Amino acid sequence: VQLVESGGSSVQAGGSLRLSCTGSVPYCMAWFRQAPEKERQVVARIDDNGRTMYAVNVKGRFTISKDKANNTLYLQMTSLQPEDTATYYCAASSAGLCGAMSFQSSFYKSWGHGTQVTVS
């Protein structure tokens, strides 16, 4: 599976961005982010049946969704804060459901190259 992210940019605090990831598959998929000198952390996950899960620090601000017709995964981000600055990666697993271990990067088999989000 080839995943390609887009949509990253520099925005001011309080702004919004929508990230896209082409190559979506009918499995559990996720958005991760990695800030400089920090570990890669899960941001949001979505089952193939549409169930979503969010990290506590983005819940209510970020929305993950899939457009199955266009094989695209999205991450709508609102009320962005400087601490959201990171490289954002989309990831695809080989499981239909996002199970208990799906918060870990090792759960995912395919990764995009990332898109940079900078909030100032």
Side-chain angles (χ1 to χ4, degrees):
V1 176
Q2 184 172 9
L3 303 174
V4 181
E5 303 97 335
S6 63
S9 183
S10 296
V11 297
Q12 292 188 338
S16 299
L17 282 175
R18 187 177 77 160
L19 306 183
S20 301
C21 172
T22 57
S24 174
V25 292
Y27 302 122
C28 168
M29 295 191 70
W31 285 97
F32 282 74
R33 68 186 182 187
Q34 187 167 20
E37 301 182 355
K38 292 191 176 181
E39 292 185 358
R40 189 171 297 190
Q41 295 183 326
V42 69
V43 173
R45 293 165 277 170
I46 185 167
D47 285 332
D48 188 53
N49 61 12
R51 181 180 66 133
T52 58
M53 289 161 276
Y54 296 93
V56 171
N57 54 1
V58 306
K59 196 170 185 178
R61 299 189 298 124
F62 291 10
T63 303
I64 187 171
S65 62
K66 269 189 188 181
D67 180 343
K68 292 186 177 182
N70 293 307
N71 295 324
T72 303
L73 180 73
Y74 296 103
L75 184 68
Q76 178 68 48
M77 304 185 294
T78 63
S79 300
L80 284 162
Q81 300 300 317
E83 52 265 35
D84 295 316
T85 295
T87 301
Y88 284 71
Y89 300 89
C90 70
S93 74
S94 57
L97 298 178
C98 297
M101 304 308 292
S102 63
F103 68 96
Q104 294 186 340
S105 58
S106 59
F107 183 81
Y108 300 88
K109 309 302 181 186
S110 301
W111 293 84
H113 292 294
T115 187
Q116 178 67 36
V117 172
T118 302
V119 185
S120 59

